[in-house]
Amino acid sequence: MVRFNLLGPLEVRVHGRPAHIRGGRQRTLLVLLLLGEGTSVSKEQLIDEIWGDDPPGQAGNALQAVVTRLRRSLDTWCGAGFARERLVSEPSGYSLRLDGPVIDFREFESLYDEARRLMAGDPARSGAVLEEALGLWRGPALHGVGGGVLCRSAAIRLDEKRLLALEDKVELEHRGGRYADTVAELHRLTMLYPLHERFSEQLMVALYRSGRPAEALDAYHRLRTVLHGELGLEPTPAVQSRMRAIRRHDMAA
């Protein structure tokens, strides 16, 4: 079985063992085709993503050479004929046609959607599914892979969905009254993502509900300082309202 992992550095595994796709252009091409999810990616897009503002003189021929090398690599690791069957030449470009859930970001998105559906009716199961989904991540999406707009936008979209999954995981723990259990993780997340207001708000709640209101207000002021210094903005009205409730020692905060 072949599996392609993009939630971190590009990783290809064949029957559980790593396969090494060498060369930055081959790796970028593979990622672009995986992101296409079986649809044709145009030659123009591939050239722009692989070479950016400095394409070779015979860009079409250069792209064909990269495709040929990738086909050889895939056949070496995945078995003779794999690339002939899967890496398909289209009239305007190329596609990579795969069967089943063999790309980790697709599995993550499927699990995340399932967890969201379960949140209201079965929070315990929802939390378990979120843990499984988040366990697929090995680092920032597409880490170390070159490329242009398509790769960057895909990485941003996937990383943003991971943050939403982390928010939901904390929310489920708070619903279960496990506020103190989330403090350390939320401290870590607010250090990693200081502009992400939802993590700071969740940290405020966790600290307040753990009997640490002064620290909860400190978390608010750290967020406000970062937002003002980096973006010239104040925290959202919702976060400000949360801060005022904590100051009032409102147990609904």
Side-chain angles (χ1 to χ4, degrees), residues 19-20 22 38 79 107 119 165 186 188 200 204 222 236 249:
H20 302 290
R22 303 189 185 280
E107 183 179 359
M119 279 187 76
L186 285 167
R188 186 184 72 86
S200 290
M204 291 162 59
R222 285 196 301 273
T236 63
H249 294 278

Side-chain angles (χ1 to χ4, degrees), residues 59-158:
N61 292 339
L63 174 61
Q64 180 59 58
V66 178
V67 171
T68 298
R69 289 196 293 272
L70 178 59
R71 281 185 166 132
R72 288 173 182 160
S73 296
L74 290 173
D75 279 348
T76 296
W77 291 104
C78 306
F82 179 92
R84 183 176 64 253
E85 295 177 7
R86 307 293 184 176
L87 207 171
V88 179
S89 298
E90 309 277 3
S92 61
Y94 299 92
S95 63
L96 187 61
R97 300 176 182 176
L98 303 170
D99 296 326
V102 296
I103 307 177
D104 63 349
F105 75 82
R106 266 296 165 224
E107 183 179 359
F108 166 74
E109 291 179 326
S110 177
L111 288 168
Y112 177 62
D113 290 344
E114 179 185 357
R116 292 286 296 176
R117 289 193 298 271
L118 292 167
M119 279 187 76
D122 192 348
R125 176 60 182 156
S126 177
V129 174
L130 277 175
E131 288 278 4
E132 184 180 356
L134 289 166
L136 295 171
W137 286 77
R138 299 166 292 109
L142 280 63
H143 181 68
V145 175
V149 174
L150 288 177
C151 285
R152 288 197 302 271
S153 62
I156 290 169
R157 179 182 65 81
L158 291 167

